[in-house]
């Protein structure tokens, strides 16, 4: 049984190794001169390998087509992934939110572990760019390279999405899938920073917020599409950070003004408790300007913006603030709104939302329902999840299932 795998990212290397372990003669084709280029820069170079959670929790964190992944995650769980790397000598650790990282904090160690895995199994790695699939009578026959055709019994497409194009994720897999008759669902950035319309936000550039609540409302339906507590930051173009990236996964039909994000800067305090806290500070700084009196409550950079939004002159003395002004201040602290204008470019996204429509893929094997012997795995499929290691786990489990399935004799 000869199997060709296109793309040496996490899904591709896992698929190639799984196929080889099950007796297939495997060729792994990668157009870059190094394998795992995108994997090497994930998690700011640390690589959040997976999430140390059970299958039910994993499925709950998948935002696109979670039910499709039942077979794959049951075959190769998050715990199996940790065991896979540990058994091959990569020590791991679990951090906040059950995120799993290598103890070394080096993403390249993850890449090297996967490379050693396929290399030790005798997988042949070819560094060339695939030009297209060879398909005849509804079955895949191999691939077309620049200088020759390479025949195979099975082909697994694991080319990734459209994010981080410099690492080779240029949408090749979508081209191959379309040529094979597959539908590609609309491609959008996911887990991506957001551009905002508000003119006062650039002044907050570099400000990081912790323990805040971010909520997002779809103004077209007046429904809240996301709400959670955590960390975020302001940038020259808008907002970013963990909360914002997760929120972006729920914002599909993007257009200027379609969504409004609201930040509760003090989610642990209800209105009454916060009001008493503000009164206490005003009493302590009774003869000071309000611009110099909120340092115990808010970050310095945020104070002038909050005061202006509350309609209070910055040099108003605290002992002259009216009850109405105080309520306006309180409202801004609990409901700091931001008008979303757009996603940042897809190249800045952690993952791509959309891809090969999973309706035409057998979830039990990852094989195409349209072309016999053709398989898909990883980000090329219309599958994505929150940050925290869940997207890489999608790559591992779908790659594993595709590799094992492809190694089975026809």
């Amino acid at each position: 049984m000869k199997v060709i795998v296109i793309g040496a990212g996490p899904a591709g290397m896992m698929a190639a190794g799984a196929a080889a372990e099950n007796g297939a003669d495997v060729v792994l084709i990668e157009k870059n001169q190094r394998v795992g280029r995108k994997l090497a820069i994930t998690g700011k170079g640390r690589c959040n390998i997976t999430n140390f959670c059970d299958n039910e929790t994993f499925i709950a964190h998948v935002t696109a087509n979670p039910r499709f992944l039942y077979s794959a995650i049951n075959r190769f769980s998050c715990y199996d992934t940790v065991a896979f790397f540990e058994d091959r000598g990569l020590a791991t650790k679990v951090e906040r939110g059950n995120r799993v990282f290598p103890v070394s904090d080096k993403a390249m160690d993850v890449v090297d572990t996967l490379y050693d895995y396929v290399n030790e199994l005798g997988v042949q790695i070819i560094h060339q760019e695939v030009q297209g699939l060879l398909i005849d009578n509804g079955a895949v026959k191999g691939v077309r390279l620049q200088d020759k055709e390479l025949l195979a019994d099975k082909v697994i497409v694991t080319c990734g999405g459209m994010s981080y194009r410099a690492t080779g994720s240029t949408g090749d897999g979508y081209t191959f899938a379309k040529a094979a008759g597959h539908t590609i669902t609309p491609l959008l950035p996911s887990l991506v920073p957001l551009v905002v319309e508000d003119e006062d936000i650039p002044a907050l550039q570099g400000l990081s917020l912790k323990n805040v609540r971010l909520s997002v409302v779809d103004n077209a339906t007046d429904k809240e599409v996301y709400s959670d507590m955590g960390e975020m930051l302001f940038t020259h173009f808008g907002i970013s950070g963990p909360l914002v990236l997760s929120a972006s996964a729920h914002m599909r039909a993007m257009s200027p003004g379609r969504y409004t994000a609201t930040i509760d800067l003090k989610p642990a305090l209800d209105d009454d408790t916060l009001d008493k806290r503000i009164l206490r500070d005003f009493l302590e700084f009774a003869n000071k300007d309000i611009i110099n009196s909120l340092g115990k409550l808010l970050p310095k950079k945020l104070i002038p913006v909050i005061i202006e939004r509350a309609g209070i002159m910055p040099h108003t003395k605290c002992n002259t603030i009216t009850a109405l002004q105080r309520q306006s201040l309180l409202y801004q602290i609990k409901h700091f709104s931001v008008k979303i204008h757009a996603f940042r470019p897809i190249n800045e996204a952690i993952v791509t939302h959309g891809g090969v429509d999973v309706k035409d893929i057998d979830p039990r094997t990852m094989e195409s329902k349209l072309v016999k012997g053709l398989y898909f795995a990883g980000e090329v499929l219309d599958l994505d999840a929150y940050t925290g290691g869940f997207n890489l786990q999608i790559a591992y489990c779908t790659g594993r299932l595709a590799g094992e399935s492809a190694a089975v004799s026809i």
Side-chain angles (χ1 to χ4, degrees):
M1 177 66 63
K2 185 163 186 176
V3 176
I4 290 174
V5 181
I6 309 172
M13 286 191 279
M14 190 62 81
E21 278 185 318
N22 285 273
D25 176 14
V26 184
V27 176
L28 177 58
I29 305 176
E30 170 56 52
K31 66 181 180 181
N32 292 315
Q33 289 307 302
R34 298 198 316 270
V35 301
R37 282 193 64 189
K38 183 177 176 184
L39 185 62
I41 63 171
T42 60
K44 296 179 180 177
R46 295 179 63 217
C47 188
N48 181 184
I49 300 170
T50 186
N51 195 280
F52 200 68
C53 66
D54 58 28
N55 292 352
E56 187 177 334
T57 303
F58 167 77
I59 291 293
H61 284 79
V62 177
T63 54
N65 300 307
R67 293 174 60 83
F68 177 83
L69 287 166
Y70 277 124
S71 293
I73 195 62
N74 281 313
R75 176 63 193 86
F76 196 74
S77 70
C78 299
Y79 302 138
D80 292 328
T81 295
V82 174
F84 171 89
F85 284 103
E86 289 275 356
D87 290 348
R88 285 162 181 79
L90 184 70
T92 63
K93 58 184 177 180
V94 180
E95 297 187 1
R96 181 180 54 82
N98 290 322
R99 291 168 165 83
V100 180
F101 290 89
V103 168
S104 65
D105 284 329
K106 294 179 181 177
M108 276 307 302
D109 290 346
V110 180
V111 176
D112 290 344
T113 302
L114 285 167
Y115 174 76
D116 291 344
Y117 168 57
V118 298
N119 196 44
E120 288 166 8
L121 286 164
V123 172
Q124 180 187 0
I125 301 177
I126 296 176
H127 293 284
Q128 284 195 47
E129 188 168 350
V130 173
Q131 302 297 303
L133 303 176
L134 301 176
I135 299 172
D136 186 38
N137 289 327
V140 73
K141 299 299 180 183
V143 302
R144 188 174 69 258
L145 301 177
Q146 288 176 323
D147 57 349
K148 63 181 177 180
E149 292 183 349
L150 200 59
L151 302 181
D153 301 294
K154 309 283 182 72
V155 173
I156 307 173
V157 177
T158 57
C159 302
M162 291 285 284
S163 57
Y164 295 105
R165 292 177 66 85
T167 66
S169 296
T170 53
D172 299 352
Y174 307 134
T175 303
F176 302 150
K178 278 183 183 178
H182 281 271
T183 299
I184 307 300
T185 61
L187 303 175
L188 294 169
S190 189
L191 304 182
V192 67
L194 300 171
V195 180
V196 307
E197 297 179 358
D198 309 76
E199 294 181 357
D200 54 4
I201 294 302
L204 301 176
Q205 179 180 349
L207 175 62
S208 179
L209 300 176
K210 294 183 178 180
N211 302 316
V212 297
R213 175 170 290 281
L214 179 72
S215 303
V216 177
V217 170
D218 183 342
N219 296 318
T221 62
D222 203 30
K223 288 184 178 179
E224 185 176 85
V225 297
Y226 177 83
S227 184
D228 203 359
M229 283 183 61
E231 301 176 14
M232 61 170 290
L233 61 94
F234 294 97
T235 69
H236 65 285
F237 57 77
I239 52 177
S240 188
L243 278 178
V244 174
L245 299 184
S246 292
S248 72
H250 294 269
M251 303 162 71
R252 300 305 188 198
M254 176 62 78
S255 59
R258 171 72 182 263
Y259 297 95
T260 299
T262 301
I263 306 162
D264 183 347
L265 296 160
K266 297 292 175 181
L269 304 179
D270 61 24
D271 285 7
D272 187 54
T273 305
L274 179 58
D275 189 38
K276 288 176 181 175
R277 168 66 193 276
I278 293 171
L279 276 169
R280 192 164 66 245
D281 285 3
F282 282 178
L283 186 62
E284 181 179 351
F285 303 108
N287 295 312
K288 284 192 172 184
D289 296 346
I290 188 173
I291 191 74
N292 300 318
S293 304
L294 296 173
K296 290 185 175 181
L297 189 64
L298 298 169
K300 185 177 180 180
K301 234 176 193 179
L302 195 55
I303 293 171
V305 178
I306 288 280
I307 290 173
E308 184 174 352
R309 287 193 175 200
I312 304 171
M313 297 299 290
H315 297 292
T316 305
K317 301 295 183 186
C318 288
N319 57 11
T320 67
I321 299 287
T322 66
L324 196 61
Q325 287 175 316
R326 197 176 72 248
Q327 284 304 307
S328 180
L329 177 66
L330 184 149
Y331 182 85
Q332 289 301 327
I333 294 171
K334 297 288 287 183
H335 305 89
F336 188 87
S337 67
V338 180
K339 298 185 186 74
I340 307 302
H341 181 76
F343 295 123
R344 287 292 285 177
I346 196 167
N347 190 45
E348 295 181 24
I350 293 176
V351 296
T352 306
H353 172 73
V356 178
D357 195 334
V358 296
K359 291 177 184 176
D360 292 328
I361 306 294
D362 187 339
R364 299 165 298 176
T365 62
M366 297 294 132
E367 185 175 15
S368 165
K369 295 177 182 178
L370 308 180
V371 178
K372 190 174 177 63
L374 179 62
Y375 298 76
F376 294 90
E379 195 180 344
V380 70
L381 292 164
D382 184 8
L383 300 167
D384 57 273
Y386 290 131
T387 55
F390 300 103
N391 287 288
L392 274 179
Q393 182 60 36
I394 291 174
Y396 305 133
C397 68
T398 57
R400 189 90 192 169
L401 184 54
E404 290 175 346
S405 303
V408 177
S409 297
I410 299 172

